Amino acid sequence: MIDEKDFNSLNKPRSKKLHAKVDFSAMVSISFLLIIFYMVMIEISKPKAMNLGLPDMCGEITCGISCGPRPDRVITILLDDNNKVITYQGLLEVPDDKPKTLSYGKEGIRKELLKKNKIITEQLGDQDRGAIVIIKPSKKSNFGNLVSILDEMAITNIQTYAIVNDFTPDEAKLLAMN
């Protein structure tokens, strides 16, 4: 026969007391992967932009009033369709040279910019103060033309240039004639 003591022991299952162990190695690996992922994403998401040196509009005094830099330092580049570049130095009403139609590349706009920048720096006697280039893309020009002219600014080492969207009526006539 079964003893009452043995009977109670059969009906009550006893649980074993286990010491819980948590393995954190997988969590540590995932946390390092997440940290690396966020560091890479922060670096990739930083904006990449080209530095533009804009002209100082509080330049020398000409014509009795302060109207920006000396006109003989200013070279205006008009970007037109079919990869045409029209350039003139000074004011269009009284340009130092006749407006020229050039092409992109080594023998086109680059040669002209290097020549004009050298003349301007020799006249001023200061290597840090060269030509000021105003780039005016027309509605007919494409984005590739703008990128090409910005590359030319970097190649010719012209520090001061600006991209302007305004055309004077004389510049619009000049574009229409060419």
Side-chain angles (χ1 to χ4, degrees):
M1 220 140 148
I2 299 180
D3 209 6
E4 188 177 323
K5 184 176 166 184
D6 290 333
F7 184 73
N8 285 339
S9 66
L10 289 174
N11 287 338
K12 292 183 185 176
R14 293 201 170 192
S15 61
K16 294 181 183 178
K17 295 199 176 188
L18 299 174
H19 296 293
K21 288 185 180 180
V22 179
D23 187 15
F24 287 108
S25 61
M27 192 168 67
V28 170
S29 297
I30 288 178
S31 64
F32 278 120
L33 286 173
L34 284 173
I35 290 170
I36 291 170
F37 172 76
Y38 286 121
M39 288 173 62
V40 169
M41 290 308 295
I42 287 171
E43 190 63 34
I44 288 174
S45 67
K46 286 183 182 175
K48 307 283 189 260
M50 182 181 290
N51 290 331
L52 295 176
L54 299 176
D56 182 18
M57 293 313 288
C58 299
E60 296 91 14
I61 296 176
T62 56
C63 309
I65 58 171
S66 177
C67 47
R70 292 174 34 181
D72 59 340
R73 284 183 64 196
V74 177
I75 301 170
T76 304
I77 298 175
L78 306 173
L79 304 178
D80 204 8
D81 62 343
N82 298 327
N83 296 330
K84 283 195 288 185
V85 179
I86 301 170
T87 181
Y88 64 90
Q89 185 175 359
L91 302 172
L92 187 58
E93 295 80 21
V94 251
D96 293 348
D97 292 332
K98 282 185 140 187
K100 297 178 185 176
T101 302
L102 302 169
S103 62
Y104 294 95
K106 188 176 183 179
E107 293 300 317
I109 189 69
R110 187 180 311 164
K111 184 177 179 182
E112 184 74 14
L113 287 173
L114 286 170
K115 182 177 81 171
K116 297 275 186 183
N117 196 30
K118 183 179 178 185
I119 292 170
I120 290 169
T121 52
E122 286 175 357
Q123 284 177 351
L124 295 174
D126 188 2
Q127 287 298 111
D128 295 334
R129 296 181 63 203
I132 298 170
V133 178
I134 299 174
I135 303 166
K136 294 186 176 186
S138 70
K139 292 182 180 179
K140 296 178 185 176
S141 68
N142 57 31
F143 184 71
N145 292 345
L146 183 61
V147 171
S148 295
I149 203 69
L150 290 175
D151 287 341
E152 295 296 337
M153 295 296 115
I155 291 169
T156 56
N157 200 23
I158 293 180
Q159 300 297 319
T160 309
Y161 55 93
I163 301 170
V164 180
N165 209 10
D166 299 338
F167 282 93
T168 63
D170 292 334
E171 289 172 339
K173 288 178 190 175
L174 182 65
L175 282 175
M177 288 188 328
N178 288 324

